């Protein structure tokens, strides 16, 4: 019986996180478009978020900032469902009713992130390709793609590049499990501090602020790897077929980082950070706000409000 309740609570967290993230990403999607262009299209002159969005609209049309919305939302929904479910399942199993600590949140966040990366990377590879398809690039070396949708993208990538291409960027993605792990560690820690041992529901303002702070710190720390991850997912690079996958991944990440620094300076690996911070901080803050409200309302209907807050 307790196992059933535990599984159901994890499901509530997973659905609440997925719905919150999808809604938040839809609201701030154009900012993610600007961030991705700044990371991948190295020769673009526009450097600020408003400038690049204005340039995209002028060159590609009013709806261009929302290009690739559907595959991104599908990927995000699956990714956050998996992450939230794993995080809260592992946390409940580990703690068994005891209060958590920052180190515990970090370890559980990393474990949940690894599972999430291995399961959902193919979706993110496809959504990156679709999001950039039809874009007017300022870098002549970028090869155009022609996918009719999510399924066609899967088929073409497997046919032209092999099944392994669906996991392009997995190595930096595994390193980037630190991003949500740090985010959740800070978020859960700040939440405990605000409650100070009293099981209560935080206000909307409190949730929004601590969600924004947590994501801002996590993004700033891990952004150089996020840039390399975007480049690898886009597939516009060459890997040596004569080395092992792990060694090849290490060399590729190192090569891309070094080349970027040599070409643009140390700030080159932080290109698009303004757009990323603006988008990801606002998105995460809104996502956590919606997640907490949906989960709280659901648990209240289940009559589990008090025990729910004590476990967190």
């Amino acid at each position: 019986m307790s196992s059933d309740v535990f599984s159901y609570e994890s499901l509530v967290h997973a659905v609440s996180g997925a719905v919150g993230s999808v809604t938040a990403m839809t609201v701030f999607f154009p900012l993610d478009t600007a961030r991705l262009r700044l990371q991948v299209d190295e020769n673009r002159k526009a450097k600020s978020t408003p400038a690049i969005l204005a340039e995209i609209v002028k060159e590609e049309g009013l709806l261009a900032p929302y290009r690739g919305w559907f595959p991104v939302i599908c990927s995000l929904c699956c990714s956050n469902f998996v992450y939230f479910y794993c995080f809260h399942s592992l946390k409940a199993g580990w703690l068994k009713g005891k209060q958590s600590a920052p180190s515990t949140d970090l370890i559980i966040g990393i474990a949940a992130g690894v599972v999430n990366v291995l399961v959902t990377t193919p979706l993110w590879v496809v959504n990156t390709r679709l999001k950039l398809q039809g874009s007017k690039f300022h870098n002549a070396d970028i090869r155009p793609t022609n996918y009719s949708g999510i399924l066609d993208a899967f088929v073409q990538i497997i046919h032209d590049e092999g099944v392994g291409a669906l996991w392009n960027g997995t190595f930096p993605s595994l390193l980037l499990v630190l991003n949500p792990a740090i985010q959740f560690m800070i978020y859960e820690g700040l939440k405990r501090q605000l409650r100070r041992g009293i099981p209560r529901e935080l206000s909307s303002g409190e949730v929004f602020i601590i969600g924004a702070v947590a994501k801002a710190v996590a993004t700033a720390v891990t952004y150089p790897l996020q840039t390399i991850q975007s480049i690898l997912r886009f597939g516009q690079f060459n890997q040596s077929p004569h080395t092992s996958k792990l060694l090849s991944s290490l060399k590729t990440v190192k090569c891309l980082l070094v080349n970027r620094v040599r070409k643009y300076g140390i700030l080159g690996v932080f290109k698009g950070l303004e757009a990323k911070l603006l988008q990801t901080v606002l998105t995460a803050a809104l996502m956590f706000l919606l997640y907490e409200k949906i989960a709280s309302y659901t648990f209240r209907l289940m009559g589990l409000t008090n025990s729910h807050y004590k476990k967190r």
Side-chain angles (χ1 to χ4, degrees):
M1 181 65 181
S2 61
S3 176
D4 292 338
V5 174
F6 158 67
S7 297
Y8 188 68
E9 288 188 3
S10 296
L11 182 62
V12 171
H13 284 298
V15 172
S16 301
V19 172
S21 63
V22 164
T23 305
M25 175 57 85
T26 299
V27 172
F28 298 112
F29 192 81
L31 298 176
D32 191 58
T33 298
R35 180 271 308 175
L36 191 57
R37 295 293 184 89
L38 285 166
Q39 287 180 326
V40 172
D41 194 0
E42 299 174 355
N43 294 337
R44 189 173 287 275
K45 293 181 179 179
K47 304 299 181 184
S48 68
T49 304
I52 197 168
L53 283 174
E55 196 174 74
I56 290 171
V57 169
K58 181 179 179 181
E59 294 178 351
E60 303 169 34
L62 191 60
L63 296 179
Y66 275 92
R67 180 182 289 115
W69 171 84
F70 184 71
V72 169
I73 290 303
C74 289
S75 302
L76 190 68
C77 184
C78 293
S79 181
N80 277 280
F81 182 92
V82 171
Y83 191 90
F84 273 83
Y85 190 90
C86 289
F87 182 85
H88 288 283
S89 295
L90 292 171
K91 189 172 182 178
W94 186 325
L95 296 175
K96 299 186 184 302
K98 299 176 183 177
Q99 190 175 46
S100 185
S103 59
T104 304
D105 291 331
L106 183 64
I107 293 170
I108 293 173
I110 290 172
V114 170
V115 174
N116 181 38
V117 165
L118 296 177
V119 171
T120 65
T121 288
L123 286 170
W124 287 110
V125 168
V126 167
N127 100 56
T128 299
R129 305 282 185 97
L130 290 172
K131 191 168 169 54
L132 290 168
Q133 181 171 276
S135 304
K136 293 186 177 180
F137 294 108
H138 293 209
N139 187 343
D141 295 330
I142 293 178
R143 303 184 300 275
T145 57
N146 185 28
Y147 307 127
S148 62
I150 296 175
L151 290 178
D152 183 54
F154 272 111
V155 171
Q156 284 199 45
I157 291 171
I158 292 171
H159 180 267
D160 297 337
E161 305 170 46
V163 176
L166 292 173
W167 275 268
N168 281 348
T170 297
F171 183 71
S173 294
L174 286 172
L175 296 178
L176 278 169
V177 299
L178 284 171
N179 183 295
I182 292 170
Q183 175 186 344
F184 269 75
M185 178 185 71
I186 295 173
Y187 179 77
E188 295 289 333
L190 290 174
K191 200 158 58 173
R192 283 191 293 271
Q193 286 297 315
L194 287 173
R195 286 175 178 159
R196 292 182 177 86
I198 303 172
R200 69 178 179 89
E201 183 176 349
L202 299 182
S203 70
S204 299
E206 288 174 326
V207 172
F208 191 89
I209 291 171
I210 65 175
V213 170
K215 192 61 178 180
V217 174
T219 299
V221 169
T222 60
Y223 190 76
L225 281 173
Q226 291 183 52
T227 298
I228 301 307
Q229 179 192 57
S230 295
I231 295 170
L232 289 170
R233 283 176 174 172
F234 191 33
Q236 304 286 338
F237 66 99
N238 296 311
Q239 279 186 308
S240 172
H242 306 296
T243 56
S244 69
K245 288 288 183 182
L246 178 60
L247 190 58
S248 179
S249 296
L250 284 168
K251 287 183 176 179
T252 301
V253 171
K254 179 184 176 183
C255 181
L256 288 171
L257 280 171
V258 170
N259 288 344
R260 194 118 180 152
V261 171
R262 284 177 178 171
K263 193 171 183 180
Y264 301 103
I266 192 64
L267 294 180
V269 294
F270 289 94
K271 190 175 182 182
L273 178 59
E274 174 206 356
K276 180 64 175 177
L277 277 175
L278 189 60
Q279 175 263 326
T280 199
V281 168
L282 292 174
T283 300
L286 181 57
M287 182 270 289
F288 274 119
L289 174 59
L290 294 172
Y291 154 68
E292 292 285 356
K293 294 302 178 184
I294 294 170
S296 173
Y297 181 73
T298 305
F299 283 122
R300 192 175 291 116
L301 288 178
M302 294 166 58
L304 297 174
T305 306
N306 290 334
S307 61
H308 162 64
Y309 287 121
K310 287 177 182 176
K311 289 178 182 178
R312 304 177 74 196

